[in-house]
Amino acid sequence: MNAPKIMVVEDEESLGILLSYNLEAEGFEVEVVTRGDEAETRLQENVPDLLILDWMLPALSGIELCRRLRKGSETERLPIIMLTARGEEGDRVRGLSSGADDYLVKPFSTPELLARVRALLRRAKPEVLSSVLRAGDIVLDREAHRVFRAQTEIRLGPTEYRLLEFLMQNPGRVFSRSQLLDKVWGDAVYIDERTVDVHVGRLRKAINRSGPDAIRTVRGAGYALGKDRP
Ligand code: CA
């Protein structure tokens, strides 16, 4: 199963970047569009699993786009979270009456947004929040806590498992040792960065028994799972 796709329609560039960074870190595939009319065109070509839609947009407002989407057969059930500015209380109601499933008032916290995204997906598209991660021929089942490569089960220690899970959530992305320490070990512990190399080495040894080297070492930068991200 591929990562769930989210389209963010937001004309504030910095917010668009922040949202896409955080959603990608959670394992979503993200496309950011800055204009309402552009979003409408893209949505006719490609319907994501969820849409995050700003209210005030150039060319075509979020509210109008939402109304139009609800009339289209491909998009009538598309999960939509509307973003509104603080103080537009009346607008919020209009936002929901235009067909949005949920709304968030700016400024909002990233954990709040992520929680709303997950809640809406669970409600509207539970199949996309699968507990099984796949990367090439590697399969990680979070519920069963088991890992397979080319149908062969791979036994991993707890740290190697968490490391693989994290890399599989972000296939192709390069992480530095300090980023991995932060994300996999947590920032509360003090561990030497060379420890990361030790665990990557163990993980590599375990998963490469059943196939070619799945982990890329990027000199001076860190590690990534699989191929380069396009
Ligand atoms: Ca805006």
Side-chain angles (χ1 to χ4, degrees), residues 10-12 54-58 106:
E10 171 57 70
D11 56 324
E12 269 174 62
D54 187 28
W55 162 279
M56 295 291 276
L57 289 168
K106 294 178 186 177

Side-chain angles (χ1 to χ4, degrees), residues 105-122:
V105 181
K106 294 178 186 177
F108 48 82
S109 73
T110 303
E112 173 73 13
L113 174 86
L114 294 172
R116 298 289 190 96
V117 165
R118 290 202 171 273
L120 181 54
L121 280 177
R122 254 196 306 276

